[in-house]
Amino acid sequence: MKLLTITVPSYNVEKTLAATLDSLCVEEILPKLDIIVVDDGSSDSTPEIAQKYAKAYPESVRVISQPNGGHGSAVNTGIKNAQGKYFKVVDGDDRLDKDGFIALVNGLEKTDADLVASNYKKVLPDGSDAGTMEFTGVEYNKIYSFDEIPVDGTIYFGIHSSTFKTEVLKASGIELQHHTFYVDAEYAVLPIPAVKTVLFLKDCVYLYTVGAAGQSIDMANFVSRYDDHLRVVKRVASFANECDCSDKHREYIYSAAAKLCFTQYMLAAFYDENLERGQVRARSFDTWLKGDPKLYNALAKSLYIRFLRATDFRFLPRSVKLKSAVRAVSRAFKRLTGRKKLTY
């Protein structure tokens, strides 16, 4: 049995896949790795590049080609075919830091935690540093029971930081949606009820490329794929209500769902350049969310959301940066109502 399966969802990544696989095929630890490149119906030379690595490292690299099903489908395929004790996703346009990667593998050999969470870095396409994402409020190299983890909105087990025990993923029955962007949010939530223990590691392992043209997180693309994100939000919100889990697990899931809901409001009410469409979307989403009073009231903690609700989403600020949006909203509220505070 291999120690770690790394699944590489790959769709038309001929420009970046070699760099990704070079960062995974680290000589010192390669015998412990099960690397699965899932070619998700690519129309470029992605499968040929992947096959070169499979031939060079036949004991550690495999290629699975499938009809295009989207990122979620590729991750599902990786989980079903995993041979490692642990499982990690590395996209075909990202990389792993060598030292951090070795430290992760060494850590996995010494633990039996259900989830190993490590820090990661954002990098620009030219390789320059764009910021480090770190866990705070926890002790590194300590195994926590899930009930010991603070659930205050600061802890989030995103796809770039998470290495799950494979049997936990399979026991959870996780099945990400096909042909849908942003299912990484499902990956961060659906296995959680099966997670009993968590180990936090300080080393930065994942190098997450940001700022590349055409990325799903580009705001114009984000807005155009509003319905994809909405499907993910609705699935996570439904899961929060229906999953069989402890109160602490449910609290974490609700916290993650609230973050997704806030993003959904922002896509409609702040980032959509089509004001009329944004208003319709925001009102529709708000009406839907009323069906979940816990989430609806959780979003009321945001001054921005409360103001938008109070004005029936007629005031959709533009030409201000997100960080100054609350100040802009507050000033506008005073002008419109004469009241100093936005309260119900």
Side-chain angles (χ1 to χ4, degrees), residues 14-32:
E14 63 180 6
K15 295 180 180 179
T16 58
L17 183 59
T20 299
L21 294 178
D22 284 343
S23 77
L24 302 183
C25 296
V26 178
E27 183 179 355
E28 296 94 315
I29 55 176
L30 190 57
K32 304 171 186 178

Side-chain angles (χ1 to χ4, degrees), residues 11 31 40 73 85 92 113 144 154 164 184 233 235 261 277 282 328:
Y11 175 70
D40 191 45
S73 174
K85 178 182 178 182
Y144 287 81
T154 61
F164 286 97
D184 56 315
V233 171
R235 187 180 187 195
C261 288
R277 181 179 64 184

